Short mmCIF file of all heavy atoms in Angstrom, two decimals:
data_model
loop_
_atom_site.label_atom_id
_atom_site.label_comp_id
_atom_site.label_asym_id
_atom_site.label_seq_id
_atom_site.Cartn_x
_atom_site.Cartn_y
_atom_site.Cartn_z
N ILE A 969 -13.14 -3.45 -40.76
CA ILE A 969 -13.74 -3.27 -42.08
C ILE A 969 -15.22 -2.96 -41.97
O ILE A 969 -15.76 -2.19 -42.75
CB ILE A 969 -13.51 -4.54 -42.95
CG1 ILE A 969 -12.00 -4.74 -43.21
CG2 ILE A 969 -14.26 -4.45 -44.27
CD1 ILE A 969 -11.68 -6.06 -43.88
N ALA A 970 -15.88 -3.56 -40.99
CA ALA A 970 -17.33 -3.40 -40.83
C ALA A 970 -17.68 -2.16 -40.04
O ALA A 970 -18.88 -1.91 -39.77
CB ALA A 970 -17.92 -4.63 -40.13
N ASP A 971 -16.71 -1.36 -39.63
CA ASP A 971 -16.96 -0.17 -38.83
C ASP A 971 -18.04 0.70 -39.45
O ASP A 971 -17.94 1.09 -40.63
CB ASP A 971 -15.67 0.63 -38.66
CG ASP A 971 -15.81 1.76 -37.67
OD1 ASP A 971 -16.71 1.69 -36.81
OD2 ASP A 971 -15.03 2.74 -37.76
N GLY A 972 -19.06 1.04 -38.69
CA GLY A 972 -20.16 1.82 -39.22
C GLY A 972 -21.28 0.98 -39.80
O GLY A 972 -22.35 1.48 -40.10
N GLY A 973 -21.00 -0.31 -39.97
CA GLY A 973 -21.99 -1.20 -40.61
C GLY A 973 -22.32 -2.37 -39.70
O GLY A 973 -22.46 -2.23 -38.48
N THR A 974 -22.43 -3.53 -40.31
CA THR A 974 -22.88 -4.74 -39.62
C THR A 974 -21.88 -5.87 -39.89
O THR A 974 -21.34 -5.97 -40.99
CB THR A 974 -24.26 -5.18 -40.13
OG1 THR A 974 -25.18 -4.09 -39.93
CG2 THR A 974 -24.77 -6.38 -39.39
N ILE A 975 -21.64 -6.67 -38.87
CA ILE A 975 -20.85 -7.90 -39.08
C ILE A 975 -21.75 -9.09 -38.84
O ILE A 975 -22.51 -9.13 -37.86
CB ILE A 975 -19.60 -7.93 -38.17
CG1 ILE A 975 -18.64 -9.04 -38.62
CG2 ILE A 975 -19.98 -8.06 -36.69
CD1 ILE A 975 -17.26 -8.94 -38.02
N PHE A 976 -21.72 -10.04 -39.75
CA PHE A 976 -22.58 -11.23 -39.65
C PHE A 976 -21.69 -12.41 -39.32
O PHE A 976 -20.88 -12.85 -40.13
CB PHE A 976 -23.32 -11.45 -40.97
CG PHE A 976 -24.10 -12.73 -41.00
CD1 PHE A 976 -24.92 -13.11 -39.94
CD2 PHE A 976 -24.03 -13.58 -42.11
CE1 PHE A 976 -25.64 -14.30 -39.98
CE2 PHE A 976 -24.73 -14.77 -42.16
CZ PHE A 976 -25.55 -15.13 -41.08
N LEU A 977 -21.83 -12.95 -38.10
CA LEU A 977 -21.04 -14.08 -37.63
C LEU A 977 -21.82 -15.35 -37.88
O LEU A 977 -22.66 -15.75 -37.05
CB LEU A 977 -20.67 -13.91 -36.17
CG LEU A 977 -19.89 -12.65 -35.78
CD1 LEU A 977 -19.71 -12.57 -34.28
CD2 LEU A 977 -18.54 -12.61 -36.50
N ASP A 978 -21.61 -15.98 -39.02
CA ASP A 978 -22.32 -17.20 -39.36
C ASP A 978 -21.66 -18.37 -38.66
O ASP A 978 -20.46 -18.44 -38.50
CB ASP A 978 -22.29 -17.40 -40.89
CG ASP A 978 -23.34 -18.38 -41.36
OD1 ASP A 978 -24.21 -18.77 -40.55
OD2 ASP A 978 -23.32 -18.75 -42.53
N GLU A 979 -22.49 -19.32 -38.22
CA GLU A 979 -22.05 -20.51 -37.49
C GLU A 979 -21.18 -20.11 -36.29
O GLU A 979 -20.10 -20.67 -36.07
CB GLU A 979 -21.28 -21.45 -38.44
CG GLU A 979 -22.13 -21.97 -39.59
CD GLU A 979 -21.44 -23.08 -40.37
OE1 GLU A 979 -21.15 -24.14 -39.77
OE2 GLU A 979 -21.22 -22.87 -41.58
N VAL A 980 -21.70 -19.17 -35.52
CA VAL A 980 -20.91 -18.66 -34.38
C VAL A 980 -20.69 -19.74 -33.33
O VAL A 980 -19.73 -19.68 -32.55
CB VAL A 980 -21.64 -17.43 -33.77
CG1 VAL A 980 -22.95 -17.87 -33.05
CG2 VAL A 980 -20.74 -16.65 -32.83
N GLY A 981 -21.55 -20.74 -33.31
CA GLY A 981 -21.37 -21.83 -32.33
C GLY A 981 -20.14 -22.65 -32.57
O GLY A 981 -19.75 -23.47 -31.71
N GLU A 982 -19.48 -22.49 -33.72
CA GLU A 982 -18.26 -23.24 -34.02
C GLU A 982 -17.00 -22.60 -33.46
O GLU A 982 -15.92 -23.18 -33.55
CB GLU A 982 -18.11 -23.41 -35.53
CG GLU A 982 -19.34 -23.97 -36.24
CD GLU A 982 -19.71 -25.35 -35.72
OE1 GLU A 982 -18.80 -26.14 -35.44
OE2 GLU A 982 -20.93 -25.61 -35.62
N LEU A 983 -17.11 -21.38 -32.91
CA LEU A 983 -15.92 -20.72 -32.41
C LEU A 983 -15.39 -21.43 -31.16
O LEU A 983 -16.14 -21.80 -30.26
CB LEU A 983 -16.24 -19.26 -32.02
CG LEU A 983 -16.38 -18.24 -33.14
CD1 LEU A 983 -16.82 -16.91 -32.59
CD2 LEU A 983 -15.08 -18.11 -33.93
N PRO A 984 -14.07 -21.65 -31.08
CA PRO A 984 -13.49 -22.25 -29.87
C PRO A 984 -13.60 -21.28 -28.69
O PRO A 984 -13.74 -20.07 -28.88
CB PRO A 984 -12.05 -22.52 -30.26
CG PRO A 984 -11.76 -21.59 -31.39
CD PRO A 984 -13.07 -21.40 -32.11
N LEU A 985 -13.49 -21.82 -27.50
CA LEU A 985 -13.68 -21.01 -26.30
C LEU A 985 -12.67 -19.84 -26.22
O LEU A 985 -13.01 -18.76 -25.76
CB LEU A 985 -13.56 -21.89 -25.04
CG LEU A 985 -14.72 -22.84 -24.80
CD1 LEU A 985 -14.39 -23.82 -23.70
CD2 LEU A 985 -15.96 -22.03 -24.44
N ALA A 986 -11.44 -20.07 -26.66
CA ALA A 986 -10.43 -18.99 -26.59
C ALA A 986 -10.84 -17.79 -27.44
O ALA A 986 -10.67 -16.65 -27.03
CB ALA A 986 -9.07 -19.54 -27.05
N ALA A 987 -11.40 -18.06 -28.63
CA ALA A 987 -11.83 -16.97 -29.48
C ALA A 987 -13.09 -16.32 -28.93
O ALA A 987 -13.31 -15.11 -29.13
CB ALA A 987 -12.08 -17.49 -30.89
N GLN A 988 -13.91 -17.08 -28.25
CA GLN A 988 -15.15 -16.52 -27.68
C GLN A 988 -14.86 -15.43 -26.67
O GLN A 988 -15.55 -14.40 -26.62
CB GLN A 988 -15.96 -17.64 -27.05
CG GLN A 988 -16.54 -18.64 -28.02
CD GLN A 988 -17.29 -19.76 -27.31
OE1 GLN A 988 -17.79 -19.59 -26.21
NE2 GLN A 988 -17.34 -20.94 -27.95
N SER A 989 -13.82 -15.62 -25.87
CA SER A 989 -13.49 -14.61 -24.85
C SER A 989 -13.05 -13.30 -25.51
O SER A 989 -13.38 -12.21 -25.01
CB SER A 989 -12.40 -15.14 -23.93
OG SER A 989 -11.20 -15.42 -24.67
N LYS A 990 -12.30 -13.40 -26.59
CA LYS A 990 -11.87 -12.19 -27.30
C LYS A 990 -13.03 -11.50 -27.99
O LYS A 990 -13.09 -10.26 -28.05
CB LYS A 990 -10.76 -12.54 -28.29
CG LYS A 990 -9.46 -13.02 -27.64
CD LYS A 990 -8.42 -13.35 -28.67
CE LYS A 990 -7.09 -13.69 -28.02
NZ LYS A 990 -7.16 -14.92 -27.21
N LEU A 991 -13.95 -12.28 -28.53
CA LEU A 991 -15.12 -11.71 -29.14
C LEU A 991 -15.99 -11.00 -28.12
O LEU A 991 -16.56 -9.92 -28.38
CB LEU A 991 -15.93 -12.79 -29.84
CG LEU A 991 -17.24 -12.38 -30.50
CD1 LEU A 991 -17.01 -11.32 -31.57
CD2 LEU A 991 -17.93 -13.61 -31.12
N LEU A 992 -16.07 -11.55 -26.93
CA LEU A 992 -16.86 -10.94 -25.85
C LEU A 992 -16.37 -9.54 -25.54
O LEU A 992 -17.15 -8.61 -25.34
CB LEU A 992 -16.79 -11.82 -24.60
CG LEU A 992 -17.52 -11.26 -23.37
CD1 LEU A 992 -19.00 -11.15 -23.61
CD2 LEU A 992 -17.24 -12.18 -22.17
N ARG A 993 -15.05 -9.36 -25.51
CA ARG A 993 -14.47 -8.03 -25.20
C ARG A 993 -14.92 -6.99 -26.21
O ARG A 993 -15.25 -5.86 -25.87
CB ARG A 993 -12.94 -8.13 -25.17
CG ARG A 993 -12.31 -6.78 -24.95
CD ARG A 993 -10.79 -6.87 -25.04
NE ARG A 993 -10.18 -5.57 -24.97
CZ ARG A 993 -8.88 -5.34 -25.08
NH1 ARG A 993 -8.05 -6.35 -25.25
NH2 ARG A 993 -8.39 -4.10 -25.01
N VAL A 994 -14.93 -7.38 -27.48
CA VAL A 994 -15.34 -6.44 -28.53
C VAL A 994 -16.82 -6.06 -28.33
O VAL A 994 -17.19 -4.88 -28.47
CB VAL A 994 -15.14 -7.06 -29.93
CG1 VAL A 994 -15.60 -6.13 -31.00
CG2 VAL A 994 -13.67 -7.39 -30.14
N LEU A 995 -17.64 -7.03 -28.03
CA LEU A 995 -19.06 -6.74 -27.86
C LEU A 995 -19.30 -5.86 -26.64
O LEU A 995 -20.22 -5.02 -26.61
CB LEU A 995 -19.85 -8.04 -27.71
CG LEU A 995 -19.85 -8.99 -28.93
CD1 LEU A 995 -20.67 -10.23 -28.66
CD2 LEU A 995 -20.36 -8.26 -30.16
N GLN A 996 -18.50 -6.02 -25.63
CA GLN A 996 -18.66 -5.24 -24.39
C GLN A 996 -18.19 -3.82 -24.55
O GLN A 996 -18.85 -2.86 -24.10
CB GLN A 996 -17.91 -5.91 -23.24
CG GLN A 996 -18.55 -7.20 -22.75
CD GLN A 996 -17.67 -7.91 -21.72
OE1 GLN A 996 -16.46 -7.75 -21.69
NE2 GLN A 996 -18.31 -8.69 -20.86
N SER A 997 -17.03 -3.63 -25.19
CA SER A 997 -16.38 -2.31 -25.21
C SER A 997 -16.38 -1.64 -26.58
O SER A 997 -16.05 -0.46 -26.68
CB SER A 997 -14.94 -2.43 -24.75
OG SER A 997 -14.19 -3.26 -25.63
N GLN A 998 -16.75 -2.41 -27.66
CA GLN A 998 -16.64 -1.92 -29.02
C GLN A 998 -15.22 -1.46 -29.32
O GLN A 998 -14.98 -0.49 -30.04
CB GLN A 998 -17.62 -0.78 -29.26
CG GLN A 998 -19.08 -1.21 -29.32
CD GLN A 998 -19.46 -1.81 -30.67
OE1 GLN A 998 -19.52 -1.14 -31.69
NE2 GLN A 998 -19.74 -3.12 -30.64
N GLU A 999 -14.26 -2.18 -28.75
CA GLU A 999 -12.84 -1.89 -28.98
C GLU A 999 -12.16 -3.15 -29.51
O GLU A 999 -12.37 -4.24 -29.02
CB GLU A 999 -12.16 -1.43 -27.69
CG GLU A 999 -12.59 -0.06 -27.21
CD GLU A 999 -11.89 0.37 -25.96
OE1 GLU A 999 -11.29 -0.51 -25.28
OE2 GLU A 999 -11.92 1.56 -25.64
N VAL A 1000 -11.31 -2.93 -30.51
CA VAL A 1000 -10.58 -4.02 -31.18
C VAL A 1000 -9.10 -3.80 -30.97
O VAL A 1000 -8.61 -2.68 -31.14
CB VAL A 1000 -10.92 -4.08 -32.68
CG1 VAL A 1000 -10.06 -5.10 -33.39
CG2 VAL A 1000 -12.39 -4.41 -32.88
N GLN A 1001 -8.39 -4.86 -30.66
CA GLN A 1001 -6.92 -4.76 -30.51
C GLN A 1001 -6.30 -5.74 -31.51
O GLN A 1001 -6.31 -6.96 -31.30
CB GLN A 1001 -6.47 -5.11 -29.11
CG GLN A 1001 -4.98 -4.87 -28.90
CD GLN A 1001 -4.57 -5.03 -27.46
OE1 GLN A 1001 -5.30 -5.59 -26.65
NE2 GLN A 1001 -3.40 -4.48 -27.12
N PRO A 1002 -5.75 -5.23 -32.62
CA PRO A 1002 -5.09 -6.10 -33.58
C PRO A 1002 -3.94 -6.85 -32.96
O PRO A 1002 -3.30 -6.38 -32.02
CB PRO A 1002 -4.58 -5.13 -34.66
CG PRO A 1002 -5.45 -3.90 -34.50
CD PRO A 1002 -5.75 -3.82 -33.03
N VAL A 1003 -3.67 -8.02 -33.46
CA VAL A 1003 -2.57 -8.85 -32.97
C VAL A 1003 -1.25 -8.12 -33.17
O VAL A 1003 -0.95 -7.62 -34.26
CB VAL A 1003 -2.52 -10.20 -33.72
CG1 VAL A 1003 -1.38 -11.06 -33.20
CG2 VAL A 1003 -3.85 -10.93 -33.56
N GLY A 1004 -0.46 -7.99 -32.10
CA GLY A 1004 0.83 -7.33 -32.16
C GLY A 1004 0.77 -5.82 -31.99
O GLY A 1004 1.80 -5.15 -32.11
N GLN A 1005 -0.40 -5.29 -31.68
CA GLN A 1005 -0.52 -3.82 -31.53
C GLN A 1005 -0.99 -3.50 -30.12
O GLN A 1005 -1.91 -4.15 -29.60
CB GLN A 1005 -1.52 -3.26 -32.55
CG GLN A 1005 -1.75 -1.76 -32.45
CD GLN A 1005 -2.60 -1.24 -33.59
OE1 GLN A 1005 -2.31 -1.47 -34.75
NE2 GLN A 1005 -3.67 -0.55 -33.25
#
């Protein structure tokens, strides 16, 4: 949804470690893989 714009991750320190690894991939590659796709 934020493609072309900005995403604001408020209280990012609350993310569990499992979600942090997936977020890291997006920041590194700018690629998103929807669940089940």
Side-chain angles (χ1 to χ4, degrees):
I969 296 173
D971 188 23
T974 303
I975 193 166
F976 174 47
L977 302 175
D978 197 9
E979 299 189 61
V980 70
E982 308 300 322
L983 283 176
L985 287 170
Q988 292 177 27
S989 62
K990 294 180 174 64
L991 177 59
L992 176 65
R993 176 185 174 183
V994 178
L995 296 181
Q996 289 173 333
S997 64
Q998 290 280 291
E999 291 181 343
V1000 173
Q1001 186 171 18
V1003 180
Q1005 179 173 306

